[in-house]
Amino acid sequence: MSLLTDLINLNLSETTDKVIAEYIWIGGSGMDIRSKARTLPGPVTDPAKLPKWNYDGSSTGQAPGEDSEVILYPQAIFRDPFRRGNNILVICDTYTPAGEPIPTNKRYNAAKIFSHPEVAKEEPWYGIEQEYTLLQKDINWPLGWPVGGFPGPQGPYYCGAGADKAYGRDIVDAHYKACLYAGINISGINGEVMPGQWEFQVGPSVGISAGDEIWCARYILERIAEIAGVVVSFDPKPIQGDWNGAGAHANYSTKSMRNDGGYEVIKKAIEKLQLRHKEHIAAYGEGNERRLTGRHETADINTFSWGVANRGASVRVGRETEKNGKGYFEDRRPASNMDPYVVTSLIAETTILFKP
């Protein structure tokens, strides 16, 4: 008699050419990741060759009940680390039956910005540092924390090892390997300052692919946490008080910044970011005012600042970039619950297309 795990791990390629495609999209809240699966007659590697699909938008807060059909347009394919074989994960964006992007489709406008000739010419690179907090399922309290109580103060947990310092490493490492398997350009992981909080980094990724990869990595993390019976929180300040919040720092460069003389280009880009500080803050995630207080390695939300090696600034430039006269900078303002399509395209728009 087969066990459930035997059936879950069946190798379909032994008996059929058919594959399973998990279509993934973003729901009405802007942070709820939805998915459903369909059978395809054979392996597919080009999203343009995948069929469009539809779903009930009235059940995701994206359409009224009397006209509920939302159309899924496949945009990016990743290998499926759960079903493996030739099975795939498909990142989709969302449209009306008439072909108009629905209001929660943030990928559409991002793709327009990244396809602009001036932006494409600059080949914008991104490295996103996605922080998140693991919570105990039934009480919504950080993993490893005593129920109704608090652990010792921050200090030993950042990049720490040991059962009294690192909570949830099995989930984190499973996620790391699953992302590599999927073909996501995940570049590292580490334990964060607050216990139960972790970070993964994606990049360098070019243009729209940064958003596709972050959303797919978030989906994989949610699925792994589901298996483990743990909740993932992207709240920018999950615990009030003397505890670090959670951000999604965006490391960014253009071809001009990476070439000789790039440091001057970086400084001009940062001046543009300062001029549009309010617009960026408004687009950088819900509840970010609870995180950007000027404490816990953040700048105050109302004040723009930048500096070399300053983790208390809005924008940080690395020592190596200053020394080499070229490189990249880090926008430290985005919250952990930011939409990567919005943040990456807005940075490109401000630094390349915006003419003050």
Side-chain angles (χ1 to χ4, degrees):
M1 183 72 174
S2 292
L3 297 173
L4 185 59
T5 51
D6 296 331
L7 296 172
I8 288 171
N9 293 318
L10 276 175
N11 183 358
L12 298 180
S13 62
E14 292 176 355
T15 56
T16 180
D17 291 331
K18 292 179 180 178
V19 299
I20 302 170
E22 189 79 27
Y23 279 45
I24 301 162
W25 72 95
I26 300 142
S29 76
M31 275 306 293
D32 52 321
I33 308 175
R34 312 281 181 137
S35 76
K36 60 177 184 172
R38 67 182 296 165
T39 306
L40 302 175
V44 179
T45 56
D46 179 0
K49 293 181 179 173
L50 287 168
K52 293 173 185 173
W53 206 7
N54 65 75
Y55 66 93
D56 171 17
S58 69
S59 296
T60 62
Q62 292 171 295
E66 66 273 10
D67 186 15
S68 65
E69 196 167 280
V70 178
I71 312 301
L72 293 167
Y73 286 33
Q75 299 291 359
I77 292 174
F78 298 91
R79 290 184 292 275
D80 186 339
F82 303 102
R83 296 187 177 107
R84 289 172 288 196
N86 290 318
N87 304 300
I88 53 176
L89 305 177
V90 183
I91 296 293
C92 303
D93 61 353
T94 44
Y95 296 79
T96 67
E100 294 294 318
I102 67 172
T104 52
N105 179 354
K106 306 303 183 187
R107 191 186 190 280
Y108 178 80
N109 279 331
K112 282 209 306 192
I113 290 168
F114 285 122
S115 62
H116 189 288
E118 286 184 54
V119 176
K121 185 179 72 174
E122 282 290 352
E123 292 178 19
W125 289 5
Y126 298 90
I128 308 295
E129 305 173 32
Q130 175 69 71
E131 294 178 342
Y132 60 94
T133 309
L134 297 174
L135 304 177
Q136 301 169 58
K137 184 163 71 80
D138 296 322
I139 57 173
N140 269 8
W141 197 238
L143 198 64
W145 289 33
V147 176
F150 296 87
Q154 296 183 153
Y157 310 108
Y158 172 69
C159 298
D164 58 343
K165 301 178 194 72
Y167 309 131
R169 190 187 296 276
D170 52 347
I171 294 169
V172 175
D173 213 44
H175 175 250
Y176 193 178
K177 291 181 177 177
C179 284
L180 285 171
Y181 179 93
I184 293 166
N185 194 22
I186 187 168
S187 45
I189 54 110
N190 61 267
E192 267 306 327
V193 177
M194 188 183 90
Q197 196 174 83
W198 295 82
E199 172 183 302
F200 65 88
Q201 302 96 31
V202 169
S205 304
V206 181
I208 197 72
S209 64
D212 292 337
E213 292 187 14
I214 283 286
W215 275 116
C216 193
R218 284 175 172 177
Y219 173 79
I220 291 170
L221 179 60
E222 293 277 15
R223 287 280 306 274
I224 290 170
E226 173 190 319
I227 294 165
V230 169
V231 172
V232 178
S233 171
F234 293 103
D235 190 289
K237 186 72 174 179
I239 305 295
Q240 293 305 304
D242 197 15
W243 304 98
N244 273 37
H249 302 158
N251 298 277
Y252 170 73
S253 71
T254 62
K255 186 186 282 188
S256 299
M257 294 175 191
R258 296 187 292 270
N259 289 340
D260 290 342
Y263 193 39
E264 290 306 311
V265 181
I266 286 171
K267 287 195 280 190
K268 284 175 184 164
I270 292 172
E271 285 172 16
K272 289 183 177 183
L273 290 174
Q274 182 166 8
L275 291 172
R276 300 188 80 192
H277 178 61
K278 284 185 178 175
E279 292 96 320
H280 280 254
I281 288 295
Y284 274 12
E286 295 282 328
N288 211 8
E289 71 283 349
R290 293 182 282 116
R291 167 181 163 260
L292 295 180
T293 60
R295 299 182 64 218
H296 304 110
E297 300 181 43
T298 69
D300 181 80
I301 194 167
N302 297 309
T303 309
F304 183 92
S305 60
W306 77 277
V308 176
N310 183 358
R311 283 183 160 75
S314 310
V315 170
R316 179 184 70 87
V317 174
R319 287 266 179 235
E320 193 175 359
T321 294
E322 182 190 41
K323 179 184 167 188
N324 294 339
K326 59 184 176 181
Y328 70 97
F329 65 82
E330 174 192 37
D331 190 339
R332 299 178 59 81
R333 296 171 296 173
S336 50
N337 60 1
M338 63 85 173
D339 187 316
Y341 294 132
V342 173
V343 168
T344 56
S345 60
L346 185 57
I347 292 172
E349 181 185 41
T350 296
T351 59
I352 302 170
L353 300 179
F354 175 56
K355 311 295 183 198

